[in-house]
Amino acid sequence: MDLSLFWVPVTLVAAAAQTGRNATQRRLTEKIGTVGATQVRFLYGFPFALIALAVLRLVTAETVPVPNGPFLLYVLGGATAQILATALMLSAMRERAFSVVTAYTKTEPVQVALFGLIILGDHLTPLVALAILIATLGVIGMSMKPGASLTSSGLRPVVAGVVSGAFFALAAIGFRGAILSLGEGSSLMRATTTLVWGLGAQTVILLVWLGLFDRKALFASFSAWKPSLGAGFLGALASQFWFLGFALTTAANVRTLALVEVLMAQAVSHRFLSQATTRREIMGMVLIVGGVALLLLGQS
């Protein structure tokens, strides 16, 4: 059985789970604030990752890979980069520059490709590089409001968005590097092991940070544990499939195909809010679909 394209359905499941997690976190924001809602994906996702690893170990009888020095460095780098990316993005969005920040954050696939080449030696064909560029331009176009420009909100949101995208890219490369550095185990075992260590590191970092600087948000997340469990489960589920995707192919492939999440969110928004689709959004969707089609063509 040919599993060379198995990363495609894996990535689509991850994107769908992340769409659900984002919706859950948005509802939590109203109850426990932005910081509290952000950290539940780690704090409440970590137990589910541990359960997944235990079940996998029981079902497959595989030995859990032993962490090595490079693995720990990659995991810590990826975990820290993801936290910093989220903090930068939320900080910029508080300045009422949501569309601009989102547009520049979505340059992540391009930056993933560059960092993957530099750090991990993940090479791309010209066709795949073109696919990444086209799909990214489509997302940027969809993220902008009609009549707005990429610099209309000033330089600071632009810089914050690009740097946030860079940290998200570094997080993806860090986690893929960690998975690859484990010399033993199946793709699923190495991905799940990395997920446990990654979420564990992020949980410790955020618990210490919130305990020192934002106890109100920390206690609020504890009091809202029931809805937070849902966000944590969906977050862990999405991450499980992201990491499995990273184990099967380059992070650039995974994060480019993941742009279909924008189309999923768009479909949900128009279905439940009855919003009309603008010409700009249609053009963006065409570019995303075209870029994804080129990406898949480049794998054959």
Side-chain angles (χ1 to χ4, degrees):
M1 182 179 179
D2 184 11
L3 296 178
S4 60
L5 290 179
F6 186 59
W7 65 271
V8 174
V10 165
T11 301
L12 294 177
V13 172
Q18 182 158 301
T19 300
R21 187 209 71 201
N22 290 341
T24 304
Q25 281 187 298
R26 279 196 293 270
R27 289 193 293 269
L28 277 172
T29 301
E30 301 173 0
K31 298 181 178 180
I32 61 178
T34 301
V35 177
T38 300
Q39 65 91 28
V40 298
R41 63 177 292 193
F42 307 119
L43 177 63
Y44 288 93
F46 181 50
F48 290 108
L50 287 173
I51 292 172
L53 182 60
V55 171
L56 181 62
R57 172 71 177 85
L58 182 64
V59 171
T60 65
E62 277 193 77
T63 301
V64 177
V66 179
N68 50 49
F71 172 84
L72 295 175
L73 287 176
Y74 275 124
V75 163
L76 185 59
T80 305
Q82 192 173 49
I83 292 173
L84 291 174
T86 304
L88 270 173
M89 180 181 67
L90 294 174
S91 175
M93 286 179 177
R94 280 198 294 267
E95 298 183 12
R96 299 181 180 179
F98 179 86
S99 61
V100 174
V101 175
T102 300
Y104 276 106
T105 298
K106 292 303 181 182
T107 60
E108 178 199 351
V110 175
Q111 300 189 71
V112 166
L114 293 175
F115 289 134
L117 176 62
I118 295 170
I119 299 174
L120 300 178
D122 286 337
H123 293 283
L124 301 174
T125 65
L127 185 59
V128 171
L130 178 62
I132 293 171
L133 181 60
I134 290 174
T136 301
L137 289 175
V139 174
I140 291 175
M142 287 186 65
S143 300
M144 296 303 300
K145 294 180 180 179
S149 69
L150 290 175
T151 57
S152 59
S153 298
L155 183 61
R156 185 172 178 178
V158 172
V159 173
V162 171
V163 175
S164 176
F167 276 121
F168 276 125
L170 286 171
I173 295 303
F175 291 134
R176 172 165 163 78
I179 292 168
L180 295 178
S181 69
L182 291 175
E184 58 183 24
S186 64
S187 296
L188 183 56
M189 176 58 77
R190 288 183 288 115
T192 307
T193 300
T194 304
L195 175 62
V196 168
W197 280 87
L199 285 178
Q202 289 168 323
T203 298
V204 171
I205 291 171
L206 284 170
L207 282 176
V208 171
W209 176 267
L210 291 175
L212 292 175
F213 302 107
D214 199 344
R215 293 183 182 179
K216 181 179 179 181
L218 180 61
F219 293 144
S221 68
F222 290 152
S223 63
W225 65 271
K226 287 186 178 179
S228 295
L229 275 177
F233 170 75
L234 289 173
L237 179 65
S239 295
Q240 174 71 73
F241 281 89
W242 288 135
F243 284 25
L244 181 55
F246 293 153
L248 297 171
T249 188
T250 65
N253 284 343
V254 172
R255 297 310 295 166
T256 301
L257 182 58
L259 293 178
V260 299
E261 178 194 348
V262 176
L263 301 181
M264 294 178 183
Q266 187 81 354
V268 171
S269 175
H270 288 282
R271 171 67 178 83
F272 293 102
L273 300 179
S274 301
Q275 296 177 343
T277 303
T278 67
R279 186 173 300 177
R280 180 193 291 262
E281 289 171 338
I282 293 175
M283 181 60 68
M285 286 187 279
V286 169
L287 288 174
I288 293 173
V289 172
V292 168
L294 280 178
L295 176 71
L296 298 179
L297 182 64
Q299 310 302 313
S300 59

